[in-house]
Amino acid sequence: MGKIGEPYRMLDMPRPSTLLFDLGGVLVDNTHLEDLPNLVPEPLSAGDLHALWLSSPAVQQFERGQIDGITFSTQFVAEWNLALTPSGFLERVAAWPKGFYPGAADLLTQLRPKHEIAYLSNSNTVHWAGFSTILLHADRAFASHICGLVKPDPAIFKLVISELGRRPDEICFFDDSASNVQAARIAGMDAHLTKGFSELMAKLEVLGLI
């Protein structure tokens, strides 16, 4: 094996059968880290906000599909001491995903004839309901609230590998979270950290996939 990130042609390896993409921050513009600083009572860095979001009991339950949107927003507003009503906060949450980054749909159209396209996203019922057009561009889609598991739990990667019916090394995964990428590599996937669509495009070019 060569180094992670080397083009497949240089590694004398077959190209991956499945390209597995995270959505928010990879293919989809999700503005939650831009909006959250406007809501919290005290200033926090983007990194601290993201860490707090991921560790929030309300977020964990919501993204596992264990609670509905209004229960999540009620718990989260109380958790974070937000000066918003639960319904007002839920409206903000629903507006965070802005759809595909420019060029993302065209990219998937270019890749799909040669590869199975799949998504693996930590998501929820509110966001997923707005992804109908985005889902048309994939062959398979795995959402945390449907699977009952969230990244980087190793179990969600094992589930996806099993459902796809591929060997782990036949799956090339792209995510904007280092912990998710590490978990995917431990599961045997060829996983790559890409933050934003421009980094994704650059990585695909390096790998010789576009």
Side-chain angles (χ1 to χ4, degrees):
M1 287 289 290
K3 295 179 180 179
I4 291 171
E6 284 190 288
Y8 290 99
R9 63 182 180 274
M10 293 180 64
L11 299 178
D12 194 26
M13 291 172 57
R15 293 190 174 198
S17 300
T18 301
L19 302 183
L20 180 64
F21 298 95
D22 179 29
L23 287 177
V26 176
L27 291 172
V28 171
D29 184 8
N30 188 332
T31 61
H32 81 285
L33 288 181
E34 298 169 24
D35 192 34
L36 274 176
N38 303 319
L39 307 179
V40 295
E42 298 180 3
L44 291 169
S45 70
D48 288 342
L49 276 172
H50 189 51
L52 285 171
W53 172 266
L54 293 177
S55 65
S56 160
V59 171
Q60 287 288 314
Q61 291 178 68
F62 192 34
E63 294 194 338
R64 284 189 170 91
Q66 296 169 342
I67 55 177
D68 62 17
I70 194 62
T71 303
F72 157 71
S73 58
T74 300
Q75 292 181 4
F76 191 88
V77 165
E79 243 182 65
W80 287 49
N81 194 29
L82 303 184
L84 286 171
T85 64
S87 60
F89 175 63
L90 195 59
E91 288 179 7
R92 300 286 283 258
V93 171
W96 286 346
K98 303 302 181 185
F100 274 137
Y101 286 115
D106 290 340
L107 170 67
L108 297 179
T109 298
Q110 175 186 347
L111 293 170
R112 205 169 179 185
K114 297 181 180 179
H115 306 276
E116 179 182 39
I117 301 298
Y119 304 145
L120 173 56
S121 177
N122 282 352
S123 192
N124 54 70
T125 53
V126 172
H127 289 167
W128 207 249
F131 285 171
S132 56
T133 300
I134 289 167
L135 294 175
L136 293 175
H137 292 268
D139 302 295
R140 303 289 301 274
F142 303 92
S144 62
H145 69 286
I146 297 172
C147 297
L149 300 162
V150 296
K151 297 177 292 184
D153 187 336
I156 197 168
F157 293 99
K158 292 178 182 177
L159 173 67
V160 169
I161 291 166
S162 175
E163 289 290 323
L164 288 173
R166 306 285 190 186
R167 296 194 316 271
D169 61 356
E170 293 179 310
I171 303 168
C172 188
F173 177 56
F174 304 90
D175 198 290
D176 66 336
S177 165
S179 60
N180 294 343
V181 169
Q182 180 62 21
R185 288 176 180 168
I186 291 171
M189 294 181 184
D190 181 21
H192 303 272
L193 181 65
T194 59
K195 297 186 177 184
F197 186 66
S198 61
E199 285 193 18
L200 173 64
M201 289 293 289
K203 180 59 66 175
L204 290 169
E205 288 183 10
V206 168
L207 292 173
L209 294 173
I210 55 173

